Amino acid sequence: MKHYTKPNKFAANVKLCVLGAIVLGLVGCASSNTQEQAAIDQASVIESQRAAEQAAATRAAQERARIARIEAERARQEAAEREEAARIAQAAAEAEAQAEREEAARIAAAEQARRAARAREQAQQARIAELETQIEALRASNASRLAANSKYEETIAAAQALLDALNAEQRKYSNTNAQGELLVPLEKDLLVDLEARKNTLKREAEALAQ
């Protein structure tokens, strides 16, 4: 019995060693698997983080591109608005300048027309004054002529009266007495007066006729 007991203990020890090795191997494998899984999980997390970062970078780039497009569109609109405002301002300035030129031309034309009208009025007034002067001169001339004619007529009448008086005085010389004296006395004063009146009227008529 003692002869077979020792081998059994050895075998049991071998088994124990083998089992220990298996257990150690299994423990090592389990530990290795855990580490590998942890590494895989860590890599997955890193990859997820990288993917998230890449997606975030992509979104950020897209957002920057969108903002850039918005800014570019806004800049284009502002430039178009500035260009339109400049065009409107230029058109308004040209319209204002044209209106000022037209107003200046209208004022100049009105002033020229006013001066022409004033010149015509002055010419008409001068012509009217000249005609009035001529009319007054004609009236004065006619009045003087009429007065002269009237004076001439009075002069003729006075001369006729003087002639009649002279004839009457002459007839008195045929009516005398035996001594040759005039029976009717001469009216010498009357003859002098008639002669003076005739001469005065003649001078007045000649003065008016000048």
Side-chain angles (χ1 to χ4, degrees):
M1 291 297 293
K2 292 180 181 180
H3 179 75
Y4 289 103
T5 302
K6 291 182 181 179
N8 290 334
K9 287 182 179 180
F10 178 77
N13 292 331
V14 170
K15 289 180 180 179
L16 290 172
C17 290
V18 172
L19 289 173
I22 291 171
V23 169
L24 290 174
L26 291 174
V27 171
C29 288
S31 177
S32 176
N33 289 335
T34 301
Q35 292 177 354
E36 183 179 357
Q37 185 62 39
I40 291 172
D41 292 341
Q42 185 177 4
S44 178
V45 170
I46 293 172
E47 184 65 24
S48 297
Q49 290 177 350
R50 288 179 179 177
E53 291 174 356
Q54 184 65 31
T58 301
R59 288 192 299 273
Q62 291 176 349
E63 182 65 17
R64 287 193 298 272
R66 186 183 69 82
I67 293 173
R69 288 194 300 272
I70 293 173
E71 292 294 331
E73 179 64 19
R74 182 181 300 170
R76 186 190 66 79
Q77 291 179 355
E78 291 177 352
E81 290 175 356
R82 288 193 299 270
E83 183 178 357
E84 180 66 14
R87 186 186 65 80
I88 293 173
Q90 183 178 1
E94 292 176 355
E96 183 177 0
Q98 181 65 24
E100 290 178 353
R101 289 192 295 270
E102 292 177 355
E103 180 66 14
R106 186 189 66 79
I107 292 173
E111 179 65 19
Q112 184 177 2
R114 186 181 64 81
R115 290 179 180 176
R118 185 171 60 184
R120 287 194 301 270
E121 182 180 358
Q122 290 177 350
Q124 289 175 356
Q125 290 178 351
R127 179 58 178 166
I128 291 171
E130 181 181 359
L131 290 175
E132 289 177 348
T133 302
Q134 292 177 358
I135 291 170
E136 290 298 325
L138 289 173
R139 286 176 178 174
S141 177
N142 290 335
S144 297
R145 188 176 295 109
L146 291 173
N149 292 337
S150 178
K151 288 295 181 181
Y152 277 123
E153 290 177 356
E154 292 180 9
T155 302
I156 293 171
Q160 186 64 44
L162 177 60
L163 182 60
D164 292 341
L166 287 172
N167 290 331
E169 293 298 305
Q170 187 66 33
R171 285 193 297 272
K172 289 179 180 181
Y173 283 102
S174 61
N175 190 10
T176 60
N177 56 19
Q179 286 79 25
E181 296 175 351
L182 297 176
L183 296 176
V184 178
L186 297 174
E187 297 182 4
K188 294 180 180 181
D189 292 338
L190 176 61
L191 294 176
V192 172
D193 291 340
L194 290 174
E195 181 70 22
R197 176 173 173 75
K198 177 185 73 68
N199 292 334
T200 299
L201 292 172
K202 182 180 179 181
R203 287 192 301 271
E204 291 177 355
E206 290 174 349
L208 291 172
Q210 291 178 356

